[in-house]
Amino acid sequence: MSSPLSGRSAWREVAIAAVALPIVITLAVMAFAWPAGRIAPRDVPVGIVGTGPATQNAVEGLTRAKPGAFDFHLYADQQAARSAIENRDVYGAFAISGDSVTVLKASAAGPSVAQLLTEVGQQLADKATQQIAQQAAAQQKAAAQQKAAAAHSSAKAHKQAAAQRGAAQQGAAAADSPVKILVKAVDVVPVATEDPRGVVFSSSVFPLTICGIIIGAFVTMARGLARPRHRVLTLLVACAVAAFGIYVVAQGFLGALPHDHVATWAILSLDLLSISATAAGVIRLFGPAGLGLSAALMVFIGNAFSGATSAPEMLPKGVEDIGQWLPPGAGASLLRDTTYFGGNGGGGHLAVLILWSVIGLTAVLFGHWVMRDSRGARDAKTDAKADVVASGEYLPALPGSGVASPDRRPAHAHAHAHAHARRNDGDG
């Protein structure tokens, strides 16, 4: 016969499996799918070269067609725009002249943004071509009207009709073959030739989060690492060695991280450390539940909002800020800055990774004091209850009498209970 307690426990587990887990899974899918389904340019920093009428018309047209999509920066010439791209001030630039549109882009900054800028450049060229055709048609129409007026004053009606037909034919010919504005795309900072679409780069970044959580969980739960300093040392070594293995695969076999080899390895190590140290610290403070908290924070929020496959400015407002303040997003951006741009623009991302690493390592080093204090409070409560029981205050009365039954346990049993209650963590 099952007890009421086991029945309640079974119903609770059924409720968790039927309600709580589906909600968590739904939220996890939404965290990844929603930003991916809302990818669009939002204040993407873009350069504009020159101040001529064509440039002004292009800016006004883009502002009307894509409000809030671009944050324009003005540069005197193409060389200044190139320097801004290399310094990570802008993602690209448009140089517009009377007969061409030059798109300066950096596919290493994000292939999706580079493709977007190329498409916008083509749209600008098509718009300029259309405007030239309209102007040519208007000029031909005005010329035709002038010829028609001149022919109307003539006495011969057939000359008037011939003039009108000729003007119409000239206008049609001009409209059918207008001046074509050409588009020229220049990749200022290209991606590696072995990874032209940046797929290997993003595929190498995403597993770092899961690997970091695995390292942190192992180091925290390993019984052989009894002291906090041993855990810290193991975290440092494991992250450095794992980062070297990742670099060997990503660059040695696939060629996706072609520049600044030592700095790239160091950034991979720091990225892993920031995630693993945070996971280890949270597990140290909250126990096994900390593993779930770390996974929810780093995977379902950090990875989903990192912008590693596109760019932070392509994500919904607010999401990009959250992603860049977490190690997965900051690590992906810093790795891109280090690998292709010589570290330009990576200062803020570096500070984020260092901050998370310091917080996590601090929790690993001193988290056992917090746990000991909380355990000491529980032990003190247990000791007080044991003293009350030993005094006979809470002992049940004998049936039919008003006198409590004396505690007949020997004194050494009480001492054993007190010693058992005062056991503490072995990290001291």
Side-chain angles (χ1 to χ4, degrees):
M1 182 176 179
S2 61
S3 64
L5 183 59
S6 62
R8 288 195 298 270
S9 177
W11 278 109
R12 184 170 60 252
E13 293 175 356
V14 169
I16 292 175
V19 179
L21 290 181
I23 291 176
V24 172
I25 293 173
T26 302
L27 293 176
V29 173
M30 180 179 174
F32 279 92
W34 174 64
R38 296 293 185 270
I39 288 181
R42 297 172 176 87
D43 292 331
V44 176
V46 173
I48 293 292
V49 178
T51 58
T55 301
Q56 295 177 357
N57 293 334
V59 172
E60 294 174 358
L62 288 176
T63 303
R64 288 193 303 266
K66 300 178 181 294
F70 299 107
D71 179 18
F72 294 104
H73 299 254
L74 184 63
Y75 298 101
D77 50 33
Q78 291 192 26
Q79 185 59 42
R82 285 172 174 266
S83 299
I85 294 173
E86 294 171 351
N87 292 330
R88 296 290 275 150
D89 296 328
V90 294
Y91 279 90
F94 300 110
I96 303 171
S97 62
D99 57 354
S100 66
V101 175
T102 302
V103 180
L104 303 176
K105 61 182 183 178
S107 57
S112 60
V113 179
Q115 182 180 357
L116 171 66
L117 296 181
T118 302
E119 294 174 356
V120 172
Q122 186 62 54
Q123 293 173 4
L124 291 175
D126 294 341
K127 184 68 173 178
T129 300
Q130 183 180 4
Q131 291 175 351
I132 292 175
Q134 292 174 352
Q135 292 175 359
Q139 292 175 358
Q140 292 295 336
K141 183 178 180 180
Q145 290 175 351
Q146 290 178 358
K147 290 182 179 180
H152 183 70
S153 64
S154 175
K156 296 180 180 180
H158 68 277
K159 292 184 177 180
Q160 176 183 0
Q164 291 177 349
R165 287 195 300 269
Q169 291 175 358
Q170 291 177 359
D176 291 338
S177 57
V179 176
K180 183 69 175 179
I181 301 299
L182 301 179
V183 178
K184 180 182 179 182
V186 179
D187 202 344
V188 179
V189 185
V191 295
T193 55
E194 293 83 356
D195 186 25
R197 293 179 296 174
V199 177
V200 177
F201 180 90
S202 58
S203 299
S204 303
V205 169
F206 275 121
L208 292 177
T209 304
I210 299 176
C211 295
I213 293 176
I214 292 175
I215 293 174
F218 172 80
V219 169
T220 304
M221 298 178 180
R223 295 187 176 183
L225 302 175
R227 297 183 179 276
R229 62 176 179 270
H230 294 163
R231 294 191 176 115
V232 170
L233 180 61
T234 304
L235 281 173
L236 296 174
V237 173
C239 290
V241 176
F244 180 76
I246 294 170
Y247 182 78
V248 168
V249 173
Q251 172 57 29
F253 292 113
L254 302 175
L257 304 174
H259 307 294
D260 294 333
H261 307 298
V262 176
T264 301
W265 165 73
I267 296 305
L268 288 171
S269 303
L270 180 60
D271 192 5
L272 278 175
L273 179 63
S274 63
I275 297 172
S276 61
T278 301
V282 173
I283 295 172
R284 190 72 187 106
L285 293 174
F286 298 99
L291 180 59
L293 292 175
S294 302
L297 179 64
M298 296 297 178
V299 178
F300 298 136
I301 298 179
N303 260 5
F305 297 171
S306 65
T309 58
S310 56
E313 291 83 0
M314 300 288 284
L315 299 177
K317 285 292 185 181
V319 169
E320 57 171 315
D321 297 327
I322 296 174
Q324 296 305 300
W325 275 101
L326 292 174
S333 298
L334 181 59
L335 184 62
R336 194 183 300 276
D337 297 337
T338 302
T339 302
Y340 289 105
F341 296 91
N344 293 326
H349 304 135
L350 178 62
V352 169
L353 294 183
I354 293 176
L355 178 62
W356 281 96
S357 300
V358 170
I359 293 175
L361 293 177
T362 302
V364 173
L365 283 172
F366 303 106
H368 68 287
W369 293 103
V370 177
M371 299 300 294
R372 176 176 296 174
D373 292 341
S374 61
R375 186 178 293 111
R378 292 195 302 268
D379 292 345
K381 185 176 181 180
T382 303
D383 290 344
K385 185 175 180 180
D387 293 339
V388 171
V389 173
S391 66
E393 181 178 350
Y394 289 151
L395 291 178
L398 292 174
S401 68
V403 181
S405 174
D407 188 0
R408 300 182 182 276
R409 291 182 298 171
H412 67 83
H414 293 296
H416 177 73
H418 286 284
H420 178 74
R422 291 192 180 96
R423 289 183 303 172
N424 53 29
D425 194 352
D427 291 336

